[in-house]
Amino acid sequence: MCVLIFRAFVSVIAVLALLVSAEGSVGPSTNASFCTESKECLEYQLVCKTDEYEVRHYSPTRWVSTDAEAYFMGVGAAMAFRRLFQYITGANNAGVHMEMTAPVLVKIPEETQMWEPTIYTLSFPLSAAYQDQPPEPTNDKLYFTEMPEMDVYVRSYGGWMLSVTSRLHAHLLTKELERVKAPYNSTFHYGVGYDSPLKLLNRHNEVWYVAEGEPVCKDPQEPTPAHTPHPTPTQLMADSPSDPLPHTLSELPSLIPSNMSSNEPSDSSSLLPSDAPVVSTSPSLEPQRDDTWNSTAGSSVDAEVKPDDAQ
């Protein structure tokens, strides 16, 4: 008897845990800055973020879905959107009106041919109040999808979610994932839209690829530890305090006296001990006195001062 009661208690706890996890995955739109037109938005945990993508963790959720076959994603999404919108506005067995949630998910196969139509799957996340027991749709083309717990690689972009833009950003995301060697499901990707067709500015769209295994959050090509740059010779010269180099040879200090030619033998005074007095002969360091100039200048002055003697 006790065993049966214990098992029943465990079953109730498990059901409550599932309900809490399901309801907690769809919450108020205020939790996301780009989810502005819906009262409820799909919640997630940010695992990491790089310059090219971010990794998010999503809890299990329940969605209402429908398929549409078309040559272009925009055409198929428009047909599928109409069916889903009718479901949340009363086309269900309970006749209830449910709040519009975000985002709208479009499952896009990777292998498509231009001359063949593609099956696109469009999905709405059910609001928190109907995650456990949603009303059955009256249209037999609608069904419920149980989205498992998953990590996804996300690339965001603005503008409109069209076939061309979705394929372009999907290609850019896969190129980066392959560069960093991140494992992901390459058979399909999700085109994700958060805004109604009436919104013209500040639109937000995303591309999702489901991660396989442990998500890659760091570029393996980055050096570890961080690279420490070594100073170059130019930087060392710039940092060291030194006198500026002369621009011409005339600015170099004179090493040979002006009255000594290179052919004359060196003076024996250069062999004197270091404590002997040294007389500098450099004209740049000690001005030379020219007696000849003084005597000539003096005679010319005397000649001008004594005019009477000339008479």
Side-chain angles (χ1 to χ4, degrees):
M1 184 66 179
C2 295
V3 175
L4 294 177
I5 294 176
F6 178 76
R7 289 181 178 177
F9 178 76
V10 171
S11 301
V12 171
I13 294 298
V15 171
L16 291 176
L18 290 175
L19 291 177
V20 170
S21 63
E23 293 181 358
S25 59
V26 180
S29 298
T30 54
N31 295 343
S33 59
F34 45 79
C35 194
T36 57
E37 293 188 297
S38 303
K39 290 185 177 181
E40 294 186 6
C41 192
L42 187 66
E43 295 182 333
Y44 64 89
Q45 294 178 347
L46 181 62
V47 178
C48 67
K49 186 174 183 179
T50 69
D51 293 337
E52 299 295 331
Y53 63 87
E54 62 184 50
V55 180
R56 299 176 185 171
H57 177 79
Y58 285 96
S59 301
T61 47
R62 180 172 290 178
W63 302 61
V64 56
S65 307
T66 186
D67 300 329
E69 187 177 20
Y71 286 95
F72 300 100
M73 184 193 68
V75 177
M79 294 187 299
F81 186 92
R82 189 179 302 110
R83 300 176 199 158
L84 296 174
F85 190 76
Q86 291 173 352
Y87 167 76
I88 66 173
T89 55
N92 51 74
N93 59 0
V96 297
H97 289 250
M98 292 172 277
E99 293 289 346
M100 180 67 190
T101 55
V104 176
L105 224 61
V106 184
K107 187 177 181 179
I108 306 172
E110 289 293 307
E111 297 296 333
T112 59
Q113 303 295 336
M114 290 290 295
W115 56 87
E116 294 180 356
T118 302
I119 297 178
Y120 299 96
T121 303
L122 199 75
S123 302
F124 285 3
L126 293 168
S127 59
Y130 297 99
Q131 277 286 316
D132 180 34
Q133 293 181 348
E136 291 293 331
T138 56
N139 190 339
D140 58 358
K141 293 184 178 180
L142 274 64
Y143 57 92
F144 297 117
T145 301
E146 302 292 337
M147 194 75 70
E149 183 178 8
M150 61 182 180
D151 295 323
V152 295
Y153 297 103
V154 182
R155 178 182 173 88
S156 303
Y157 64 97
W160 300 86
M161 187 175 66
L162 305 175
S163 298
V164 176
T165 56
S166 180
R167 290 288 182 183
L168 171 62
H169 289 280
H171 170 72
L172 295 176
L173 180 55
T174 55
K175 184 178 179 181
E176 179 66 15
L177 294 179
E178 292 172 359
R179 189 185 71 84
V180 299
K181 296 179 173 55
Y184 65 95
N185 190 334
S186 59
T187 60
F188 69 93
H189 69 273
Y190 289 111
V192 188
Y194 289 84
D195 305 308
S196 68
L198 300 178
K199 187 176 181 180
L200 302 178
L201 301 176
N202 299 323
R203 298 181 61 84
H204 184 86
N205 310 295
E206 295 171 352
V207 174
W208 291 2
Y209 277 95
V210 179
E212 292 184 345
E214 191 70 20
V216 176
C217 297
K218 186 176 181 181
D219 190 348
Q221 298 186 13
E222 291 181 353
T224 304
H227 173 64
T228 303
H230 297 284
T232 61
T234 305
Q235 293 175 340
L236 292 176
M237 294 177 63
D239 296 338
S240 61
S242 60
D243 297 332
L245 296 176
H247 297 284
T248 61
L249 293 177
S250 61
E251 298 181 12
L252 291 172
S254 177
L255 301 179
I256 302 176
S258 59
N259 57 355
M260 182 183 296
S261 64
S262 60
N263 295 327
E264 296 177 355
S266 60
D267 193 359
S268 60
S269 61
S270 62
L271 301 177
L272 293 176
S274 58
D275 57 349
V278 179
V279 178
S280 174
T281 59
S282 174
S284 60
L285 301 179
E286 183 178 350
Q288 301 292 330
R289 182 177 178 180
D290 194 346
D291 296 335
T292 305
W293 183 87
N294 291 335
S295 61
T296 305
S299 61
S300 61
V301 172
D302 294 340
E304 293 177 359
V305 174
K306 300 178 181 179
D308 296 338
D309 296 342
Q311 295 177 358

